[in-house]
Amino acid sequence: MSEAPAGSVTIVTQTRVLKGHDHAFADWQEETKRVVAGFPGFIEQSVAPPAPPAQVDWVILQRFASTQDAVGWLKSPERLARVSGVQPMLAGRDDVHLVRDGAAGVLPSPVSVVISTRLKSGQEAAYRAWEQRMTALQSRAPGFEGYRLEAPIPGVQEDFLAILRFDTQAHLEAWLGSSQRAAMLEEARAFIDEFHTRTVRTGFEQWFSAPKGKPPAPWKQNMLVLLMLYPVVFLFGHLVQTPLLMDRAGLPFAVALFIGNGASVLMLTRLVPWASRRFEWWVRSASPRSNALGAGIILALYAAMIAAFVLV
């Protein structure tokens, strides 16, 4: 996602879709994106499909210029009508929270866990004292990268929202399963009514190497993946899929395409890390000049490949 303007907020929605409804939900989400784009203050939206086993939910991030704009969308008749229509596809309730942008702990990250906590009546002071001790404890866990806490917003969200960030899934799972955390949660039962956790991951981070385990910005990941994906798909289709699988073996297009997609994914597991190492100077850089130079080189490579493949 792009750099956040001052005062902007992100609506974080996590929802679990019933088996067999993923395609329908994706179509519904695309239509919802077109609807929300017309609302005041809307900036952008990104959608992360499930990535089992770590992340089993759909995660939708909708950024608005202000809290007022975000609440306007959340309470709008247009959104309420769309949410009502999609309910038969969903398992359980959505988690919908507002997160202020521009501070530590904002999604996306290498791996995050979103923890929703609803308190028993009159227990906020006890919870906040407990939360301070929990923060100090988890900050010493291996791989810890950041933490933030969002208080309830009357009429919008009733839960406290904690976002906990780690550099790898293994470090996150080690902390979530630790005896120290278990002891703290047992203590919190006296003032917590209910809580649950959901994990969020970025899409391609397993293919990239960066300092301290942090993946490059999502737009850099996407550019490098496309740089490797385009020639793989073109060459496999030209040399294998059409002449061998379809013309010679007589396979239907849908079957040949599935085989091609599977082969492409397997090759990308080798090619994208290779490309990431070659562009390490760009992947690691936060310099605007380096960012522009690297993007320009990749755009030039796109153009060169297209020109070359046109002649094939």
Side-chain angles (χ1 to χ4, degrees), residues 130-147 164-167 171-172 174-176 178 180-181 184:
W130 173 90
E131 183 269 335
Q132 289 179 358
R133 291 187 288 114
M134 175 67 96
T135 300
L137 183 63
Q138 66 196 10
S139 67
R140 297 192 292 270
F144 175 83
E145 288 198 340
Y147 172 78
L164 183 60
R165 301 172 64 244
F166 278 78
D167 60 352
H171 280 149
L172 172 62
W175 164 247
L176 293 179
S178 67
Q180 300 98 317
R181 182 173 183 271
M184 290 293 293

PDB file of all heavy atoms in Angstrom, residues 130-147 164-167 171-172 174-176 178 180-181 184:
ATOM      1  N   TRP A 130      -2.734  -4.790  32.973  1.00  0.00           N
ATOM      2  CA  TRP A 130      -2.278  -6.103  32.498  1.00  0.00           C
ATOM      3  C   TRP A 130      -1.621  -5.989  31.128  1.00  0.00           C
ATOM      4  O   TRP A 130      -0.584  -6.611  30.874  1.00  0.00           O
ATOM      5  CB  TRP A 130      -3.484  -7.037  32.440  1.00  0.00           C
ATOM      6  CG  TRP A 130      -3.221  -8.368  31.808  1.00  0.00           C
ATOM      7  CD1 TRP A 130      -2.801  -9.513  32.418  1.00  0.00           C
ATOM      8  CD2 TRP A 130      -3.394  -8.709  30.418  1.00  0.00           C
ATOM      9  NE1 TRP A 130      -2.688 -10.533  31.516  1.00  0.00           N
ATOM     10  CE2 TRP A 130      -3.041 -10.075  30.278  1.00  0.00           C
ATOM     11  CE3 TRP A 130      -3.806  -7.997  29.296  1.00  0.00           C
ATOM     12  CZ2 TRP A 130      -3.098 -10.730  29.048  1.00  0.00           C
ATOM     13  CZ3 TRP A 130      -3.858  -8.635  28.077  1.00  0.00           C
ATOM     14  CH2 TRP A 130      -3.499  -9.992  27.952  1.00  0.00           C
ATOM     15  N   GLU A 131      -2.209  -5.183  30.263  1.00  0.00           N
ATOM     16  CA  GLU A 131      -1.703  -5.037  28.905  1.00  0.00           C
ATOM     17  C   GLU A 131      -0.295  -4.437  28.897  1.00  0.00           C
ATOM     18  O   GLU A 131       0.550  -4.810  28.071  1.00  0.00           O
ATOM     19  CB  GLU A 131      -2.667  -4.168  28.087  1.00  0.00           C
ATOM     20  CG  GLU A 131      -2.302  -3.982  26.638  1.00  0.00           C
ATOM     21  CD  GLU A 131      -1.434  -2.766  26.408  1.00  0.00           C
ATOM     22  OE1 GLU A 131      -1.502  -1.832  27.234  1.00  0.00           O
ATOM     23  OE2 GLU A 131      -0.689  -2.754  25.418  1.00  0.00           O
ATOM     24  N   GLN A 132       0.004  -3.534  29.814  1.00  0.00           N
ATOM     25  CA  GLN A 132       1.342  -2.966  29.892  1.00  0.00           C
ATOM     26  C   GLN A 132       2.376  -4.027  30.257  1.00  0.00           C
ATOM     27  O   GLN A 132       3.480  -4.060  29.706  1.00  0.00           O
ATOM     28  CB  GLN A 132       1.365  -1.822  30.910  1.00  0.00           C
ATOM     29  CG  GLN A 132       0.622  -0.587  30.449  1.00  0.00           C
ATOM     30  CD  GLN A 132       0.648   0.524  31.479  1.00  0.00           C
ATOM     31  OE1 GLN A 132       1.191   0.364  32.575  1.00  0.00           O
ATOM     32  NE2 GLN A 132       0.035   1.655  31.152  1.00  0.00           N
ATOM     33  N   ARG A 133       2.015  -4.921  31.170  1.00  0.00           N
ATOM     34  CA  ARG A 133       2.939  -6.005  31.534  1.00  0.00           C
ATOM     35  C   ARG A 133       3.094  -6.999  30.381  1.00  0.00           C
ATOM     36  O   ARG A 133       4.187  -7.504  30.129  1.00  0.00           O
ATOM     37  CB  ARG A 133       2.448  -6.704  32.800  1.00  0.00           C
ATOM     38  CG  ARG A 133       2.562  -5.824  34.054  1.00  0.00           C
ATOM     39  CD  ARG A 133       2.239  -6.584  35.330  1.00  0.00           C
ATOM     40  NE  ARG A 133       0.830  -6.879  35.446  1.00  0.00           N
ATOM     41  CZ  ARG A 133       0.300  -8.095  35.417  1.00  0.00           C
ATOM     42  NH1 ARG A 133       1.104  -9.151  35.290  1.00  0.00           N
ATOM     43  NH2 ARG A 133      -0.992  -8.278  35.538  1.00  0.00           N
ATOM     44  N   MET A 134       1.988  -7.280  29.687  1.00  0.00           N
ATOM     45  CA  MET A 134       2.052  -8.167  28.533  1.00  0.00           C
ATOM     46  C   MET A 134       2.934  -7.572  27.435  1.00  0.00           C
ATOM     47  O   MET A 134       3.736  -8.276  26.798  1.00  0.00           O
ATOM     48  CB  MET A 134       0.646  -8.430  27.997  1.00  0.00           C
ATOM     49  CG  MET A 134       0.619  -9.245  26.704  1.00  0.00           C
ATOM     50  SD  MET A 134       1.188 -10.949  26.918  1.00  0.00           S
ATOM     51  CE  MET A 134      -0.389 -11.791  27.142  1.00  0.00           C
ATOM     52  N   THR A 135       2.828  -6.268  27.201  1.00  0.00           N
ATOM     53  CA  THR A 135       3.641  -5.602  26.184  1.00  0.00           C
ATOM     54  C   THR A 135       5.125  -5.739  26.495  1.00  0.00           C
ATOM     55  O   THR A 135       5.939  -6.040  25.609  1.00  0.00           O
ATOM     56  CB  THR A 135       3.263  -4.117  26.094  1.00  0.00           C
ATOM     57  OG1 THR A 135       1.880  -3.993  25.747  1.00  0.00           O
ATOM     58  CG2 THR A 135       4.109  -3.392  25.049  1.00  0.00           C
ATOM     59  N   ALA A 136       5.484  -5.521  27.758  1.00  0.00           N
ATOM     60  CA  ALA A 136       6.891  -5.635  28.149  1.00  0.00           C
ATOM     61  C   ALA A 136       7.399  -7.060  27.968  1.00  0.00           C
ATOM     62  O   ALA A 136       8.532  -7.282  27.521  1.00  0.00           O
ATOM     63  CB  ALA A 136       7.064  -5.186  29.596  1.00  0.00           C
ATOM     64  N   LEU A 137       6.556  -8.037  28.249  1.00  0.00           N
ATOM     65  CA  LEU A 137       6.963  -9.431  28.146  1.00  0.00           C
ATOM     66  C   LEU A 137       7.137  -9.852  26.689  1.00  0.00           C
ATOM     67  O   LEU A 137       8.163 -10.440  26.310  1.00  0.00           O
ATOM     68  CB  LEU A 137       5.922 -10.318  28.836  1.00  0.00           C
ATOM     69  CG  LEU A 137       6.223 -11.819  28.900  1.00  0.00           C
ATOM     70  CD1 LEU A 137       7.487 -12.073  29.719  1.00  0.00           C
ATOM     71  CD2 LEU A 137       5.033 -12.563  29.499  1.00  0.00           C
ATOM     72  N   GLN A 138       6.165  -9.539  25.846  1.00  0.00           N
ATOM     73  CA  GLN A 138       6.234  -9.996  24.456  1.00  0.00           C
ATOM     74  C   GLN A 138       7.301  -9.256  23.648  1.00  0.00           C
ATOM     75  O   GLN A 138       7.820  -9.780  22.662  1.00  0.00           O
ATOM     76  CB  GLN A 138       4.874  -9.868  23.772  1.00  0.00           C
ATOM     77  CG  GLN A 138       4.384  -8.453  23.593  1.00  0.00           C
ATOM     78  CD  GLN A 138       2.887  -8.406  23.277  1.00  0.00           C
ATOM     79  OE1 GLN A 138       2.177  -9.415  23.363  1.00  0.00           O
ATOM     80  NE2 GLN A 138       2.393  -7.237  22.921  1.00  0.00           N
ATOM     81  N   SER A 139       7.662  -8.054  24.074  1.00  0.00           N
ATOM     82  CA  SER A 139       8.702  -7.310  23.358  1.00  0.00           C
ATOM     83  C   SER A 139      10.067  -7.985  23.458  1.00  0.00           C
ATOM     84  O   SER A 139      10.955  -7.695  22.656  1.00  0.00           O
ATOM     85  CB  SER A 139       8.795  -5.882  23.888  1.00  0.00           C
ATOM     86  OG  SER A 139       9.270  -5.875  25.229  1.00  0.00           O
ATOM     87  N   ARG A 140      10.241  -8.894  24.414  1.00  0.00           N
ATOM     88  CA  ARG A 140      11.507  -9.621  24.563  1.00  0.00           C
ATOM     89  C   ARG A 140      11.503 -10.960  23.827  1.00  0.00           C
ATOM     90  O   ARG A 140      12.506 -11.671  23.822  1.00  0.00           O
ATOM     91  CB  ARG A 140      11.802  -9.847  26.053  1.00  0.00           C
ATOM     92  CG  ARG A 140      11.997  -8.552  26.852  1.00  0.00           C
ATOM     93  CD  ARG A 140      12.567  -8.832  28.236  1.00  0.00           C
ATOM     94  NE  ARG A 140      11.618  -9.531  29.087  1.00  0.00           N
ATOM     95  CZ  ARG A 140      10.741  -8.925  29.889  1.00  0.00           C
ATOM     96  NH1 ARG A 140      10.678  -7.600  29.918  1.00  0.00           N
ATOM     97  NH2 ARG A 140       9.927  -9.621  30.654  1.00  0.00           N
ATOM     98  N   ALA A 141      10.387 -11.293  23.177  1.00  0.00           N
ATOM     99  CA  ALA A 141      10.297 -12.560  22.458  1.00  0.00           C
ATOM    100  C   ALA A 141      11.133 -12.508  21.181  1.00  0.00           C
ATOM    101  O   ALA A 141      11.194 -11.468  20.511  1.00  0.00           O
ATOM    102  CB  ALA A 141       8.844 -12.874  22.125  1.00  0.00           C
ATOM    103  N   PRO A 142      11.803 -13.599  20.806  1.00  0.00           N
ATOM    104  CA  PRO A 142      12.584 -13.623  19.563  1.00  0.00           C
ATOM    105  C   PRO A 142      11.721 -13.287  18.350  1.00  0.00           C
ATOM    106  O   PRO A 142      10.603 -13.788  18.219  1.00  0.00           O
ATOM    107  CB  PRO A 142      13.090 -15.069  19.484  1.00  0.00           C
ATOM    108  CG  PRO A 142      13.083 -15.550  20.897  1.00  0.00           C
ATOM    109  CD  PRO A 142      11.898 -14.876  21.553  1.00  0.00           C
ATOM    110  N   GLY A 143      12.234 -12.425  17.478  1.00  0.00           N
ATOM    111  CA  GLY A 143      11.539 -12.073  16.253  1.00  0.00           C
ATOM    112  C   GLY A 143      10.498 -10.982  16.384  1.00  0.00           C
ATOM    113  O   GLY A 143       9.875 -10.591  15.396  1.00  0.00           O
ATOM    114  N   PHE A 144      10.307 -10.470  17.604  1.00  0.00           N
ATOM    115  CA  PHE A 144       9.318  -9.409  17.813  1.00  0.00           C
ATOM    116  C   PHE A 144       9.686  -8.162  17.019  1.00  0.00           C
ATOM    117  O   PHE A 144      10.831  -7.725  17.015  1.00  0.00           O
ATOM    118  CB  PHE A 144       9.248  -9.063  19.306  1.00  0.00           C
ATOM    119  CG  PHE A 144       8.357  -7.893  19.625  1.00  0.00           C
ATOM    120  CD1 PHE A 144       6.992  -8.075  19.763  1.00  0.00           C
ATOM    121  CD2 PHE A 144       8.884  -6.622  19.794  1.00  0.00           C
ATOM    122  CE1 PHE A 144       6.161  -7.003  20.065  1.00  0.00           C
ATOM    123  CE2 PHE A 144       8.065  -5.548  20.095  1.00  0.00           C
ATOM    124  CZ  PHE A 144       6.701  -5.734  20.228  1.00  0.00           C
ATOM    125  N   GLU A 145       8.693  -7.575  16.318  1.00  0.00           N
ATOM    126  CA  GLU A 145       8.952  -6.391  15.497  1.00  0.00           C
ATOM    127  C   GLU A 145       8.101  -5.190  15.854  1.00  0.00           C
ATOM    128  O   GLU A 145       8.485  -4.067  15.546  1.00  0.00           O
ATOM    129  CB  GLU A 145       8.748  -6.721  14.011  1.00  0.00           C
ATOM    130  CG  GLU A 145       9.826  -7.606  13.436  1.00  0.00           C
ATOM    131  CD  GLU A 145       9.848  -7.551  11.922  1.00  0.00           C
ATOM    132  OE1 GLU A 145       8.832  -7.145  11.327  1.00  0.00           O
ATOM    133  OE2 GLU A 145      10.874  -7.911  11.345  1.00  0.00           O
ATOM    134  N   GLY A 146       6.973  -5.378  16.481  1.00  0.00           N
ATOM    135  CA  GLY A 146       6.150  -4.218  16.797  1.00  0.00           C
ATOM    136  C   GLY A 146       4.821  -4.613  17.397  1.00  0.00           C
ATOM    137  O   GLY A 146       4.361  -5.753  17.279  1.00  0.00           O
ATOM    138  N   TYR A 147       4.205  -3.638  18.051  1.00  0.00           N
ATOM    139  CA  TYR A 147       2.933  -3.880  18.729  1.00  0.00           C
ATOM    140  C   TYR A 147       2.196  -2.561  18.843  1.00  0.00           C
ATOM    141  O   TYR A 147       2.797  -1.505  19.024  1.00  0.00           O
ATOM    142  CB  TYR A 147       3.180  -4.451  20.128  1.00  0.00           C
ATOM    143  CG  TYR A 147       1.950  -4.560  20.990  1.00  0.00           C
ATOM    144  CD1 TYR A 147       1.048  -5.594  20.803  1.00  0.00           C
ATOM    145  CD2 TYR A 147       1.691  -3.630  21.995  1.00  0.00           C
ATOM    146  CE1 TYR A 147      -0.087  -5.711  21.600  1.00  0.00           C
ATOM    147  CE2 TYR A 147       0.564  -3.736  22.795  1.00  0.00           C
ATOM    148  CZ  TYR A 147      -0.316  -4.774  22.592  1.00  0.00           C
ATOM    149  OH  TYR A 147      -1.441  -4.886  23.370  1.00  0.00           O
ATOM    150  N   LEU A 164       0.043  -7.479  16.731  1.00  0.00           N
ATOM    151  CA  LEU A 164       1.345  -7.956  17.162  1.00  0.00           C
ATOM    152  C   LEU A 164       2.111  -8.447  15.949  1.00  0.00           C
ATOM    153  O   LEU A 164       1.615  -9.282  15.198  1.00  0.00           O
ATOM    154  CB  LEU A 164       1.147  -9.083  18.180  1.00  0.00           C
ATOM    155  CG  LEU A 164       2.367  -9.712  18.843  1.00  0.00           C
ATOM    156  CD1 LEU A 164       3.167  -8.660  19.611  1.00  0.00           C
ATOM    157  CD2 LEU A 164       1.920 -10.816  19.784  1.00  0.00           C
ATOM    158  N   ARG A 165       3.333  -7.936  15.731  1.00  0.00           N
ATOM    159  CA  ARG A 165       4.087  -8.212  14.514  1.00  0.00           C
ATOM    160  C   ARG A 165       5.374  -8.967  14.828  1.00  0.00           C
ATOM    161  O   ARG A 165       6.118  -8.599  15.746  1.00  0.00           O
ATOM    162  CB  ARG A 165       4.429  -6.908  13.790  1.00  0.00           C
ATOM    163  CG  ARG A 165       3.231  -6.078  13.405  1.00  0.00           C
ATOM    164  CD  ARG A 165       3.620  -4.706  12.870  1.00  0.00           C
ATOM    165  NE  ARG A 165       4.380  -4.807  11.641  1.00  0.00           N
ATOM    166  CZ  ARG A 165       5.641  -4.413  11.508  1.00  0.00           C
ATOM    167  NH1 ARG A 165       6.301  -3.927  12.534  1.00  0.00           N
ATOM    168  NH2 ARG A 165       6.249  -4.513  10.339  1.00  0.00           N
ATOM    169  N   PHE A 166       5.638 -10.024  14.026  1.00  0.00           N
ATOM    170  CA  PHE A 166       6.869 -10.801  14.137  1.00  0.00           C
ATOM    171  C   PHE A 166       7.501 -10.940  12.761  1.00  0.00           C
ATOM    172  O   PHE A 166       6.845 -10.753  11.730  1.00  0.00           O
ATOM    173  CB  PHE A 166       6.586 -12.175  14.741  1.00  0.00           C
ATOM    174  CG  PHE A 166       6.497 -12.170  16.243  1.00  0.00           C
ATOM    175  CD1 PHE A 166       5.351 -11.725  16.875  1.00  0.00           C
ATOM    176  CD2 PHE A 166       7.568 -12.597  17.012  1.00  0.00           C
ATOM    177  CE1 PHE A 166       5.269 -11.709  18.259  1.00  0.00           C
ATOM    178  CE2 PHE A 166       7.497 -12.589  18.396  1.00  0.00           C
ATOM    179  CZ  PHE A 166       6.354 -12.142  19.023  1.00  0.00           C
ATOM    180  N   ASP A 167       8.797 -11.302  12.764  1.00  0.00           N
ATOM    181  CA  ASP A 167       9.507 -11.401  11.486  1.00  0.00           C
ATOM    182  C   ASP A 167       9.222 -12.691  10.739  1.00  0.00           C
ATOM    183  O   ASP A 167       9.306 -12.741   9.512  1.00  0.00           O
ATOM    184  CB  ASP A 167      11.015 -11.229  11.684  1.00  0.00           C
ATOM    185  CG  ASP A 167      11.614 -12.284  12.616  1.00  0.00           C
ATOM    186  OD1 ASP A 167      10.850 -13.056  13.227  1.00  0.00           O
ATOM    187  OD2 ASP A 167      12.848 -12.323  12.742  1.00  0.00           O
ATOM    188  N   HIS A 171       8.577 -17.680  14.684  1.00  0.00           N
ATOM    189  CA  HIS A 171       8.730 -16.868  15.891  1.00  0.00           C
ATOM    190  C   HIS A 171       7.368 -16.483  16.472  1.00  0.00           C
ATOM    191  O   HIS A 171       7.186 -16.474  17.698  1.00  0.00           O
ATOM    192  CB  HIS A 171       9.539 -15.613  15.575  1.00  0.00           C
ATOM    193  CG  HIS A 171      11.011 -15.859  15.524  1.00  0.00           C
ATOM    194  ND1 HIS A 171      11.859 -15.149  14.708  1.00  0.00           N
ATOM    195  CD2 HIS A 171      11.792 -16.742  16.195  1.00  0.00           C
ATOM    196  CE1 HIS A 171      13.105 -15.588  14.883  1.00  0.00           C
ATOM    197  NE2 HIS A 171      13.078 -16.554  15.778  1.00  0.00           N
ATOM    198  N   LEU A 172       6.409 -16.173  15.599  1.00  0.00           N
ATOM    199  CA  LEU A 172       5.080 -15.839  16.093  1.00  0.00           C
ATOM    200  C   LEU A 172       4.456 -17.030  16.807  1.00  0.00           C
ATOM    201  O   LEU A 172       3.920 -16.897  17.916  1.00  0.00           O
ATOM    202  CB  LEU A 172       4.184 -15.401  14.930  1.00  0.00           C
ATOM    203  CG  LEU A 172       2.706 -15.198  15.277  1.00  0.00           C
ATOM    204  CD1 LEU A 172       2.541 -14.094  16.307  1.00  0.00           C
ATOM    205  CD2 LEU A 172       1.888 -14.915  14.030  1.00  0.00           C
ATOM    206  N   ALA A 174       5.940 -19.524  18.186  1.00  0.00           N
ATOM    207  CA  ALA A 174       6.664 -19.800  19.437  1.00  0.00           C
ATOM    208  C   ALA A 174       6.145 -18.919  20.564  1.00  0.00           C
ATOM    209  O   ALA A 174       5.961 -19.383  21.700  1.00  0.00           O
ATOM    210  CB  ALA A 174       8.158 -19.602  19.234  1.00  0.00           C
ATOM    211  N   TRP A 175       5.886 -17.644  20.249  1.00  0.00           N
ATOM    212  CA  TRP A 175       5.368 -16.748  21.286  1.00  0.00           C
ATOM    213  C   TRP A 175       3.925 -17.104  21.652  1.00  0.00           C
ATOM    214  O   TRP A 175       3.579 -17.170  22.838  1.00  0.00           O
ATOM    215  CB  TRP A 175       5.446 -15.296  20.826  1.00  0.00           C
ATOM    216  CG  TRP A 175       4.605 -14.387  21.667  1.00  0.00           C
ATOM    217  CD1 TRP A 175       3.496 -13.705  21.292  1.00  0.00           C
ATOM    218  CD2 TRP A 175       4.783 -14.097  23.068  1.00  0.00           C
ATOM    219  NE1 TRP A 175       2.963 -13.020  22.349  1.00  0.00           N
ATOM    220  CE2 TRP A 175       3.736 -13.238  23.445  1.00  0.00           C
ATOM    221  CE3 TRP A 175       5.723 -14.501  24.025  1.00  0.00           C
ATOM    222  CZ2 TRP A 175       3.613 -12.759  24.751  1.00  0.00           C
ATOM    223  CZ3 TRP A 175       5.588 -14.028  25.325  1.00  0.00           C
ATOM    224  CH2 TRP A 175       4.541 -13.163  25.670  1.00  0.00           C
ATOM    225  N   LEU A 176       3.083 -17.362  20.645  1.00  0.00           N
ATOM    226  CA  LEU A 176       1.683 -17.668  20.928  1.00  0.00           C
ATOM    227  C   LEU A 176       1.545 -18.937  21.761  1.00  0.00           C
ATOM    228  O   LEU A 176       0.600 -19.066  22.545  1.00  0.00           O
ATOM    229  CB  LEU A 176       0.901 -17.815  19.618  1.00  0.00           C
ATOM    230  CG  LEU A 176       0.735 -16.549  18.767  1.00  0.00           C
ATOM    231  CD1 LEU A 176      -0.042 -16.866  17.500  1.00  0.00           C
ATOM    232  CD2 LEU A 176       0.056 -15.440  19.554  1.00  0.00           C
ATOM    233  N   SER A 178       3.844 -20.007  23.978  1.00  0.00           N
ATOM    234  CA  SER A 178       4.780 -19.973  25.102  1.00  0.00           C
ATOM    235  C   SER A 178       4.064 -20.083  26.449  1.00  0.00           C
ATOM    236  O   SER A 178       2.903 -19.692  26.598  1.00  0.00           O
ATOM    237  CB  SER A 178       5.596 -18.681  25.066  1.00  0.00           C
ATOM    238  OG  SER A 178       4.770 -17.558  25.313  1.00  0.00           O
ATOM    239  N   GLN A 180       4.884 -18.366  29.079  1.00  0.00           N
ATOM    240  CA  GLN A 180       4.734 -17.023  29.630  1.00  0.00           C
ATOM    241  C   GLN A 180       3.418 -16.398  29.183  1.00  0.00           C
ATOM    242  O   GLN A 180       2.670 -15.816  29.992  1.00  0.00           O
ATOM    243  CB  GLN A 180       5.899 -16.111  29.210  1.00  0.00           C
ATOM    244  CG  GLN A 180       7.260 -16.602  29.661  1.00  0.00           C
ATOM    245  CD  GLN A 180       7.967 -17.352  28.558  1.00  0.00           C
ATOM    246  OE1 GLN A 180       7.345 -18.165  27.859  1.00  0.00           O
ATOM    247  NE2 GLN A 180       9.253 -17.102  28.405  1.00  0.00           N
ATOM    248  N   ARG A 181       3.104 -16.536  27.896  1.00  0.00           N
ATOM    249  CA  ARG A 181       1.850 -15.966  27.395  1.00  0.00           C
ATOM    250  C   ARG A 181       0.651 -16.710  27.984  1.00  0.00           C
ATOM    251  O   ARG A 181      -0.363 -16.090  28.343  1.00  0.00           O
ATOM    252  CB  ARG A 181       1.814 -16.017  25.874  1.00  0.00           C
ATOM    253  CG  ARG A 181       0.562 -15.410  25.267  1.00  0.00           C
ATOM    254  CD  ARG A 181       0.656 -15.333  23.763  1.00  0.00           C
ATOM    255  NE  ARG A 181      -0.520 -14.690  23.193  1.00  0.00           N
ATOM    256  CZ  ARG A 181      -1.645 -15.322  22.831  1.00  0.00           C
ATOM    257  NH1 ARG A 181      -1.710 -16.645  22.973  1.00  0.00           N
ATOM    258  NH2 ARG A 181      -2.669 -14.660  22.332  1.00  0.00           N
ATOM    259  N   MET A 184      -0.086 -15.384  31.382  1.00  0.00           N
ATOM    260  CA  MET A 184      -0.700 -14.056  31.338  1.00  0.00           C
ATOM    261  C   MET A 184      -2.169 -14.153  30.929  1.00  0.00           C
ATOM    262  O   MET A 184      -3.028 -13.447  31.484  1.00  0.00           O
ATOM    263  CB  MET A 184       0.067 -13.165  30.365  1.00  0.00           C
ATOM    264  CG  MET A 184       1.457 -12.760  30.832  1.00  0.00           C
ATOM    265  SD  MET A 184       1.425 -11.663  32.277  1.00  0.00           S
ATOM    266  CE  MET A 184       0.683 -10.187  31.575  1.00  0.00           C
TER     267      MET A 184
END
